[in-house]
Amino acid sequence: MNVIEVETLEDERLAVFARLTEAQLRNRLEPEKGIFIAESPKVIRRALDAGMQPLSYLMEHKWLDEVREMVEAHPAEDGGEVPVFTGSREVLAQLTGFELTRGVLCAMRRPQLPSVEELLAQTNARRVAVLEGIVDHTNVGAMFRSAAALGVDAVLVTPTCCDPLYRRAVRVSMGTVFQVPWTRIGESVHDWPDAGLERLHACGFKTAAMALSDNSVSIKDEAVNAEEKLAIVLGTEGDGLSPRTIAQCDYTVRIPMRHGVDSLNVAAASAVAFYQLVG
């Protein structure tokens, strides 16, 4: 294992862990050079098992023996050893600005995303989730975890939805962002909802907008549940789905509420929707 002791916080090789913003890590101008950070041995193992390419690790001394086998089983892109930067808790806290409570960070190559059509064909998807404009990374991570647990075939994120590979989203998902196939449905705000919904319909999907409205049907509605292919569309925190999205979906679906509660947090609502509609 190629272990490198952290001697200076100015080492440029450590910039990915401490000095680059999430936008710089994504590298939108050159996506093939994009990087994301996975945190904790469990999450990193799931990423590696899914074929993610490790670029470098950062960890406290005490983790070296525990992760040695994992690190050595997944070589660098050129077949060599992946550098493992290590130091004391105090030194690494100075570097990252926080204590590594989960012990290990791994910088990984951002994967190339397939088109919507490729993803749906590859997975033979029957039930997909569409995340419209979800802005909280914790919610995105929780929704991926529910999608994985409840059998959603794929997740599509709209152009205004936050990045599923943002560090916090990955951590909250417990690495399930690497288990559930996903891609973006459009690259600019002009690609959703009109063009995006057209693409889903062209692929044979009926669309179900999760929203409260006078013409909504219960999540237990027989027609909705009987659809061969269904895209479950969930909207941003607070405002929910845009009226334009709701108007163009085949169904508007509600979760029946009691005690005067008018809505659930979007992550909680997604779990209920997936449980009922995935079947």
Side-chain angles (χ1 to χ4, degrees):
M1 192 161 67
N2 181 19
V3 178
I4 302 168
E5 187 73 22
V6 174
E7 296 179 350
T8 171
L9 302 183
E10 302 306 314
D11 190 327
E12 279 304 310
R13 295 173 297 179
L14 301 174
V16 294
F17 298 109
R19 292 185 288 278
L20 297 185
T21 65
E22 289 289 338
Q24 290 170 323
L25 289 173
R26 286 197 303 272
N27 202 347
R28 284 187 177 273
L29 295 178
E30 296 181 89
E32 69 279 1
K33 296 182 181 179
I35 295 170
F36 69 92
I37 306 296
E39 185 176 349
S40 87
K42 182 175 184 177
V43 170
I44 293 168
R45 284 192 181 93
R46 283 185 169 170
L48 293 171
D49 289 344
M52 299 298 107
Q53 179 61 57
L55 300 176
S56 61
Y57 295 87
L58 179 69
M59 66 187 72
E60 295 176 36
H61 295 133
K62 66 179 183 180
W63 287 93
L64 290 172
D65 288 337
E66 182 168 337
V67 302
R68 181 179 299 274
E69 183 177 344
M70 176 183 74
V71 171
E72 293 179 346
H74 297 87
E77 292 173 295
D78 61 4
E81 294 182 314
V82 178
V84 178
F85 295 96
T86 188
S88 67
R89 174 184 288 260
E90 293 73 25
V91 168
L92 298 189
Q94 291 180 53
L95 173 67
T96 61
F98 59 90
E99 290 193 6
L100 298 183
T101 55
R102 291 167 181 81
V104 185
L105 300 178
C106 182
M108 294 184 161
R109 181 72 66 204
R110 182 174 285 269
Q112 291 288 99
L113 296 177
S115 70
V116 170
E117 292 75 13
E118 290 170 338
L119 182 69
L120 297 180
Q122 290 167 2
T123 58
N124 194 27
R126 293 184 57 255
R127 292 292 186 268
V128 302
V130 182
L131 312 188
E132 179 185 274
I134 308 298
V135 297
D136 186 288
H137 297 98
T138 298
N139 282 334
V140 168
M143 293 168 84
F144 265 87
R145 191 171 181 182
S146 292
L150 299 171
V152 172
D153 298 314
V155 174
L156 306 176
V157 296
T158 68
T160 55
C161 184
C162 66
D163 182 16
L165 293 182
Y166 185 88
R167 186 185 302 183
R168 183 168 179 79
V170 172
R171 184 170 71 244
V172 172
S173 81
M174 294 299 293
T176 55
V177 293
F178 309 116
Q179 296 177 314
V180 181
W182 69 275
T183 194
R184 288 200 171 273
I185 184 162
E187 294 298 325
S188 78
V189 293
H190 304 294
D191 297 326
W192 180 267
D194 304 49
L197 290 169
E198 285 181 11
R199 293 173 76 179
L200 286 169
H201 288 139
C203 291
F205 280 81
K206 295 292 186 178
T207 50
M210 299 300 301
L212 297 173
S213 69
D214 292 338
N215 65 342
S216 62
V217 299
S218 169
I219 197 171
K220 296 181 180 180
D221 182 82
E222 291 183 4
V224 178
N225 283 270
E227 290 291 354
E228 180 65 23
K229 292 183 176 182
L230 187 68
I232 305 162
V233 190
L234 297 121
T236 187
E237 301 86 348
D239 294 334
L241 291 172
S242 72
R244 191 166 178 172
T245 298
I246 296 171
Q248 295 183 65
C249 283
D250 300 292
Y251 299 96
T252 303
V253 178
R254 70 178 182 277
I255 299 171
M257 303 283 176
R258 299 181 181 180
H259 301 295
V261 177
D262 62 359
S263 65
L264 296 174
N265 164 274
V266 67
S270 73
V272 175
F274 299 159
Y275 179 81
Q276 174 63 40
L277 298 174
V278 171

